[in-house]
């Protein structure tokens, strides 16, 4: 472990220096550099609003569940059945394909002690990996960047958004938010920088260096991401275009180990049945194409996708044919390097609830620690408070 951690740190610092140096090279020299083909990538997908995991991975034969949720389940003939107990939501056909191909691991009953039902607070807890009674100003990926990326690093993580999430904010390093690589490049290109040394103004000097680094990052992304253009037909919505851009950056060999994307709208307090199915279909179809895309460029085996939501929903439906904020939920892992496929642990026990909510059995910080230690090859103890045993899914 110590040897691999050290190697990863060395590699990243070296690749960061290479990136920084590359930005100073003429474009014809940059084009001659071979893309990285053996390093790992982590893609995080956030389902914002609190997806109802119990109506995503469904114990459809459980009579208690049918009694508590008489209006939330699709008809029996529309459910995508895996076995005599388990069915996927009718909108999850793409996900089922990946499941059947051994590209999915489902962790049930994931949460944290003393859960918070506020969207904002619970999302902060998931993004910062803090205990529920502690407020942190940095995210778990940001702290990873602080630990593993040198000061020369230009791009350690990319979020497909106008605004950077707490998850990607570190004390020293931060991820890069963008909605489109081409637009990001054109926007930064229009900024004129004054190269005159700001010897009497540290603030002006800092702003100049920040702007210059951003321009360099944008130019690097723009030039590098043109190497691979996807021929796969992604769905025509923002999440589809975001995942297509991530696939093109990964397949082009962009030197960023972390990518972050979100799909919102899962706060289904009313009329949940159709709304959630449409959202799950958007997610499911996009992820199937994303996996096919990376398989065609031979990058799937080095890619791990982690999908989470800030909490699950209450087990009993409310009076508006929806569900209210709950506690534990399922979490999805995808990729070509999974040691454990299918169900990691049993479905949640509907007969042993915590005041009407699913009990958590796996702390999400244990999932993060496993990803940091076993996939990103770093020391999770410096990033996640606590000492968590590996879940051994990768």
């Amino acid at each position: 472990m110590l040897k691999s951690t050290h190697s990863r740190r060395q590699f990243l610092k070296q690749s960061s220096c290479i990136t920084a140096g590359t930005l100073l090279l003429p474009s014809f020299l940059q084009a001659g550099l071979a893309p990285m083909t053996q390093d790992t990538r982590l893609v995080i997908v956030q389902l914002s609003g609190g997806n109802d995991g119990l109506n995503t991975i469904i114990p459809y034969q459980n009579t208690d569940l049918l009694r508590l949720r008489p209006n939330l389940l699709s008809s029996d003939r529309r459910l995508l059945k895996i076995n005599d107990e388990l069915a996927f939501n009718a909108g999850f056909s793409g996900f089922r394909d990946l499941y059947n191909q051994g590209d999915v691991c489902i962790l049930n009953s994931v949460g944290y002690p003393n859960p918070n039902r506020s969207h904002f607070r619970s999302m902060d807890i998931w993004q910062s990996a803090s205990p529920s009674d502690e407020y942190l100003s940095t995210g778990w990926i940001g702290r990873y960047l602080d630990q593993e990326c040198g000061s020369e690093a230009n791009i350690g993580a990319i979020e497909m958004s106008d605004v950077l999430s707490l998850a990607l904010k570190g004390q020293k390093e931060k991820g890069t938010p963008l909605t489109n690589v081409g637009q990001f490049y054109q926007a930064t290109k229009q900024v004129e920088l004054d190269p005159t040394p700001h010897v009497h103004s540290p603030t002006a000097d800092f702003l100049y260096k920040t702007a210059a680094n951003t321009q360099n990052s944008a130019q690097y992304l723009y030039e590098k991401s043109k190497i691979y253009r996807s021929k796969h037909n992604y769905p025509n919505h923002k999440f589809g275009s975001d995942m297509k851009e991530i696939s093109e950056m990964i397949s082009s060999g962009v030197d960023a180990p972390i990518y972050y994307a979100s799909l919102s709208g899962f706060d289904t307090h009313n009329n949940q049945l159709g709304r959630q199915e449409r959202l799950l279909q958007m997610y499911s179809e996009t992820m199937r194409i994303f996996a096919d895309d990376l398989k065609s460029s031979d990058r799937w085996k080095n890619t791990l996708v982690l999908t989470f939501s800030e909490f699950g929903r209450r087990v009993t439906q409310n009076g508006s044919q929806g569900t209210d904020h709950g506690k534990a939920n399922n979490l999805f892992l995808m990729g070509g390097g999974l040691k454990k496929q299918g169900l990691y642990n049993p479905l949640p026990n509907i007969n042993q609830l915590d005041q009407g909510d699913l009990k958590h059995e796996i702390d999400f910080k244990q999932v993060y620690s496993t990803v940091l230690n076993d996939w990103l090859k770093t020391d999770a103890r410096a990033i996640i408070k606590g000492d968590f045993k590996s879940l051994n899914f990768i």
Side-chain angles (χ1 to χ4, degrees):
M1 176 59 70
L2 289 175
K3 182 179 180 180
S4 60
T5 299
H6 180 63
S7 299
R8 172 66 181 173
R9 183 176 293 113
Q10 278 189 323
F11 166 78
L12 273 172
K13 288 182 176 177
Q14 288 168 357
S15 63
S16 297
C17 293
I18 289 170
T19 301
T22 299
L23 297 171
L24 303 177
L25 293 175
S27 58
F28 68 92
L29 287 179
Q30 293 181 32
L33 295 176
M36 295 188 304
T37 56
Q38 298 301 319
D39 199 36
T40 54
R41 298 287 183 267
L42 173 64
V43 180
I44 302 170
V45 177
Q46 173 181 304
L47 303 182
S48 303
N51 178 46
D52 184 8
L54 203 52
N55 201 37
T56 304
I57 314 298
I58 308 169
Y60 70 101
Q61 296 283 36
N62 189 302
T63 54
D64 289 325
L65 183 66
L66 297 176
R67 176 177 55 81
L68 296 171
R69 297 181 156 209
N71 305 113
L72 295 188
L73 292 181
S74 299
S75 63
D76 190 69
R77 61 182 175 80
R78 295 191 70 238
L79 291 175
L80 307 175
K81 297 174 184 174
I82 296 297
N83 54 40
D84 292 339
E85 296 181 73
L86 170 69
F88 292 140
N89 186 288
F92 239 32
S93 60
F95 188 94
R96 179 188 58 179
D97 294 343
L98 293 172
Y99 182 92
N100 289 337
Q101 293 165 14
D103 291 323
V104 170
C105 177
I106 300 170
L107 281 70
N108 292 297
S109 307
V110 181
Y112 55 92
N114 303 313
N116 193 298
R117 297 185 196 275
S118 161
H119 290 291
F120 303 105
R121 178 59 189 144
S122 192
M123 188 61 82
D124 275 358
I125 291 169
W126 274 83
Q127 292 193 357
S128 65
S130 71
S132 59
D133 60 351
E134 184 176 355
Y135 290 78
L136 299 179
S137 60
T138 58
W140 72 288
I141 295 300
R143 296 195 294 276
Y144 163 78
L145 299 179
D146 282 344
Q147 179 165 292
E148 293 295 335
C149 293
S151 59
E152 302 89 349
N154 286 278
I155 303 171
I158 295 171
E159 179 171 8
M160 304 305 297
S161 172
D162 289 323
V163 181
L164 192 67
S165 296
L166 173 62
L168 280 71
K169 295 179 180 177
Q171 198 69 39
K172 298 176 296 183
E173 307 291 336
K174 291 180 174 58
T176 299
L178 58 91
T179 55
N180 176 279
V181 172
Q183 292 174 5
F184 180 53
Y185 170 66
Q186 293 299 333
T188 58
K189 188 179 176 183
Q190 294 172 6
V191 178
E192 294 186 6
L193 300 178
D194 178 8
T196 305
H198 305 88
V199 293
H200 301 299
S201 175
T203 300
D205 188 54
F206 170 77
L207 292 175
Y208 169 79
K209 290 178 179 177
T210 300
N213 283 338
T214 302
Q215 280 190 339
N216 286 340
S217 298
Q219 182 180 356
Y220 168 77
L221 279 176
Y222 182 70
E223 295 295 333
K224 193 76 174 180
S225 63
K226 290 191 297 186
I227 293 174
Y228 177 84
R229 283 286 179 262
S230 174
K231 296 179 181 178
H232 291 260
N233 187 24
Y234 282 79
N236 186 26
H237 47 65
K238 184 179 184 305
F239 183 67
S241 63
D242 286 348
M243 296 308 295
K244 181 180 180 181
E245 289 231 23
I246 290 175
S247 172
E248 290 180 338
M249 285 189 277
I250 291 175
S251 296
S252 294
V254 166
D255 184 20
I258 312 286
Y259 298 84
Y260 203 100
S262 301
L263 177 62
S264 60
F266 287 92
D267 195 17
T268 50
H269 288 284
N270 52 63
N271 301 320
Q272 174 175 304
L273 184 59
R275 287 178 57 197
Q276 190 199 18
E277 182 177 322
R278 285 191 293 275
L279 288 165
L280 291 177
Q281 186 171 18
M282 292 169 65
Y283 166 79
S284 166
E285 284 304 305
T286 300
M287 297 312 299
R288 181 183 59 79
I289 296 170
F290 179 75
D292 289 345
D293 202 355
L294 291 183
K295 287 176 182 176
S296 66
S297 63
D298 199 28
R299 303 288 180 151
W300 184 240
K301 62 186 179 185
N302 296 331
T303 301
L304 177 68
V305 183
L306 185 159
T307 300
F308 78 98
S309 197
E310 67 265 37
F311 44 61
R313 316 293 296 188
R314 303 272 295 170
V315 175
T316 303
Q317 73 174 59
N318 61 25
S320 302
Q321 299 191 10
T323 50
D324 299 325
H325 303 177
K327 295 179 180 176
N329 205 353
N330 39 39
L331 180 151
F332 311 135
L333 297 164
M334 300 178 185
L338 296 173
K339 286 183 181 177
K340 175 73 174 177
Q341 295 94 8
L343 292 180
Y344 180 86
N345 56 333
L347 296 171
N349 190 336
I350 307 299
N351 299 316
Q352 293 185 5
L353 301 178
D354 176 15
Q355 298 180 333
D357 291 303
L358 300 178
K359 293 181 179 178
H360 93 271
E361 296 178 357
I362 298 176
D363 193 315
F364 76 91
K365 295 186 285 296
Q366 189 172 8
V367 180
Y368 288 178
S369 293
T370 303
V371 171
L372 290 164
N373 283 323
D374 298 346
W375 187 252
L376 295 176
K377 304 300 183 186
T378 190
D379 185 356
R381 293 171 299 183
I383 298 171
I384 307 292
K385 183 178 289 187
D387 192 4
F388 295 99
K389 183 179 178 182
S390 172
L391 293 169
N392 203 33
F393 50 70
I394 46 177

